[in-house]
Structure formats: structure tokens, C-alpha cells
Amino acid sequence: MAASIVTRFAPSPTGFLHLGHAMSALYAWRRAREGGGRFLLRLEDIDAARCRPEYAEAILEDLAWLGLDWDGPVRVQSAHMAEYRAALDALAARGLLYPCFCTRAAIAREVAAIGNAPHGADGPPYPGTCRRLPAGERAARIARGEAHALRLDTAAALAATGPLTAEEEGEGAFGIDPAPLFGDAVLARKDTPASYHLCVTHDDAVQGVTLVTRGIDLKPATHLHRLLQALMGWPVPRWRHHALLTGPDGRRLAKRDRAVALRALRAAGRSPAEVRAMAGFPD
């Protein structure tokens, strides 16, 4: 018998949900419910500077008003930092992480100086400055208390795993190569003890997610997430990246652009059924 489908919706409580969020949540919820599976809710609140309790409460309220239910307790990432630290320690023990003391400004200057080409998923790929530091210098700078991030040595990681593929639902398997997109990705920094990439991949494994549904803008992240899964021996889900809702100007809906919040639509008298239809899911 085929395993039951498990999907999830994992917003960050950095603002109120808008129609784009509603579309993603409804897509994951319907896939789970139509497949007789489970739909999970997770709050990705590792960004302590931007996340707010009032936004977390509003997410639960807005989803319930929209007519969505979820299975089991809500997983809140900030309550699981020790788990992410253990994953980082495991990677470090294998020599796959290194401390990076470069500021964003310094990286931008070096990239500009060497004429590095197109930007990847997280900006210009890191040129590897601190990867080349001697171990003694690294240790001395850490001992002095210098702020640093932890980067994944992508070349070493790929050498450890060998060739990898991921499966996009409806398209089939595709090859994995995070190097051009992320360079040596940051997996932790002082202000964020574990990165989005590490936490989301860890949590999908812990929660038994079998189908990751998310916007097409996040498809490049699959390259890095698949590599982390291989390194950590985590289960490998399938992926389904859906189109994004756009506004009248053709730009995708985003909190930073002050997209109309679901609660504003509710306050204006819209019904849950109307909002579901606006998000592309008519009853």
C-alpha cells in the first residue's frame, strides 16, 4: 500500500497573511485532504528580529477563518534550536562547515573585484575567502570573539554524496548542483543561529513530509535542500512548485510590498468562500 501523503504550510510570522499565502496553504491542504493524508502547520520563526507573537496568532486565526484545519500540534521552530545545533555539529564533525568572518559588504566588494558573474539564489555566490584560511587563524579569530557565520563547504559536501537528483511532480527527476546557485551557503550566523535552509530541511524530515509544495520562486532552494538531506541521511520527499499569485502590476504578492492582508479582506466583508476563490480555489 502506498504511503499516505503528508504536506505542510510553513509561514514566517513576520507579517499578516495575504492571498499568496492563502493560495499556498490551500494547495497543500487540498493535496493532503484529497489524498487521504495529513496537513501540517509550522511556524518558521527563527528570525527573532522580525517575527512577532501577534503575527503568529494571526496566522492561526486567519487559516481557521479560511476553513483550513491541520493535523497535530503546530511546530514552532524557535522551540527546537537544540535540534538544529545538533545537525550543525554533525556537519562540523565531518569537516563540512567552516567559519566565515566576511561581512556582506566585504563579500560584495570581492565579488565586484573579481568580476563574478550572475547572482545565484542567495545573491552572488560566495568567492570562498574564508574557506582558504588556515585552521590556526580560524581558531584564533574565534577565540578573540570575532563574529562569524558557518558556511557549508559545498565542494566537499558534493564529493561526500556523489551525484544527486530530486523529483519534481509532473516533471520527473532533475540533477542537483547547488554550487552555482548558492556557492558555500550560510547555515548559521550570529543573529540567526540556524538558517532557513537547514531548519526547513530538518523539519520536513522530522515531521515526515512526503510532498513539499511551495511557490516556484523557491525551486532553486531544492538543490541545497536535497544536498542537506543526503548529507544528514534524511528522507527525501517529492516537490511540487506552483505558480505565484500576482497583483495588478504583474508582481508577485509579498508582505514587503504591503499586499492586501486576509484580515483586511475579512474586515471589508469578504467571506471565506470569496477569498478562497480569489486565491484560485473556488468551492
Side-chain angles (χ1 to χ4, degrees), residues 114-261:
I114 63 178
N116 209 354
H119 289 192
D122 281 355
Y126 179 62
T129 308
C130 290
R131 189 193 324 118
R132 299 184 288 270
L133 290 178
E137 182 178 345
R138 291 178 180 174
R141 294 178 72 168
I142 292 173
R144 290 198 298 268
E146 287 192 40
H148 60 278
L150 293 178
R151 289 186 180 272
L152 177 69
D153 187 332
T154 300
L158 289 170
T161 64
L164 299 170
T165 61
E167 183 181 349
E168 177 74 14
E169 190 179 73
E171 298 179 9
F174 61 94
I176 292 300
D177 185 7
L181 298 164
F182 295 93
D184 287 351
V186 170
L187 296 188
R189 62 173 82 248
K190 182 179 180 181
D191 55 348
T192 307
S195 75
Y196 158 76
H197 299 295
L198 179 75
C199 296
V200 69
T201 312
H202 171 278
D203 289 354
D204 284 344
V206 167
Q207 294 189 281
V209 173
T210 63
L211 176 64
V212 174
T213 66
R214 57 192 183 192
I216 191 66
D217 58 321
L218 287 172
K219 188 173 183 179
T222 307
H223 290 264
L224 179 54
H225 297 178
R226 180 67 185 89
L227 176 58
L228 289 171
Q229 289 160 354
L231 291 171
M232 298 301 298
W234 290 332
V236 182
R238 290 178 297 122
W239 282 267
R240 174 64 170 88
H241 295 89
H242 57 71
L244 302 174
L245 280 185
T246 58
D249 59 359
R251 298 173 63 185
R252 73 180 180 92
L253 300 179
K255 282 182 282 191
R256 64 175 175 269
D257 296 327
R258 300 188 179 183
V260 177

Side-chain angles (χ1 to χ4, degrees), residues 44-66:
E44 299 190 339
D45 65 339
I46 57 173
D47 187 345
R50 298 174 59 222
C51 294
R52 297 285 184 271
E54 58 266 32
Y55 293 141
E57 294 172 7
I59 287 171
L60 305 186
E61 180 183 310
D62 288 346
L63 291 177
W65 174 80
L66 199 59

Side-chain angles (χ1 to χ4, degrees), residues 75-129:
R75 182 177 175 90
V76 180
Q77 284 188 334
S78 59
H80 298 276
M81 296 308 296
E83 297 174 33
Y84 310 136
R85 183 69 251 178
L88 288 166
D89 289 345
L91 292 171
R94 296 172 61 186
L96 298 176
L97 299 183
Y98 63 88
C100 175
F101 304 93
C102 299
T103 64
R104 290 184 175 90
I107 294 170
R109 287 195 299 270
E110 181 166 355
V111 168
I114 63 178
N116 209 354
H119 289 192
D122 281 355
Y126 179 62
T129 308

